[in-house]
Structure formats: C-alpha cells, structure tokens
Amino acid sequence: MDKKRYYISVESGVILEDPTVATYEFVVVANDTEIHQLQELFELAHQKEMDTFLRGATPVIPYHDDPENHNYDRALMDIYRMIHRLGTTDTKEHIESMGVW
C-alpha cells in the first residue's frame, strides 16, 4: 500500500490530508490501514473523554482514583505512540521531548 503524508491534530482529534485546512501538531506518513487505525484510536479517546464527564461534575472523586480518567489517559497515550511510530523525524523528536510516548 502506498503511504502518504497526513497532518494530525491531537487537540482537535482530526486527521488532515491538506495542511492548509486547519491547524495541526504532527505530520505522519501512513497507508490507508494505518490511518484507519489512528482514526479508531481517536474515536475511542473521544468515547473515554465522554465517560469522564460525570467525574468532572462530581468533585468528591479524586482524579487519581478515577478509572474513567485513567482509561482516557491510556487512550491518549495510544494515540501518541501510534503518531510516534508513523511520524516524521520532527514528529518523533517532538513527541519524545514531550515524554508521552
């Protein structure tokens, strides 16, 4: 399968083919299957983020004791790992500097 460049915004949860459409944080080189997997990770992270909504409205639950927040954190880490694996040299260096991969 042919690989091409994609522009990723973790903040917005989007994968772009055209870098002029919106802002992005990372550049990856991936095939259709890999991009589909990354999109699934974004969808999972969004679901996990929605699960944290109730915790945000319940101040008596400490963040560090909340499994929903841990699940959301793990989903984000999976996204960063995949972006690191598919990323350009600059992308890999940036993620490594963040310490999240």
Side-chain angles (χ1 to χ4, degrees), residues 12-30:
S12 301
V14 296
I15 300 169
L16 306 166
E17 291 186 47
D18 181 354
T20 64
V21 173
T23 60
Y24 61 91
E25 296 99 33
F26 303 105
V27 179
V28 299
V29 179

Side-chain angles (χ1 to χ4, degrees), residues 46-74:
H46 180 71
Q47 288 175 328
K48 300 301 179 188
E49 182 180 27
M50 293 298 105
D51 292 343
T52 67
F53 179 74
L54 179 60
R55 187 246 164 254
T58 312
V60 297
I61 302 172
Y63 180 88
H64 64 279
D65 287 337
D66 186 24
E68 287 80 13
N69 281 328
H70 293 301
N71 291 337
Y72 176 60
D73 291 346
R74 276 193 289 276

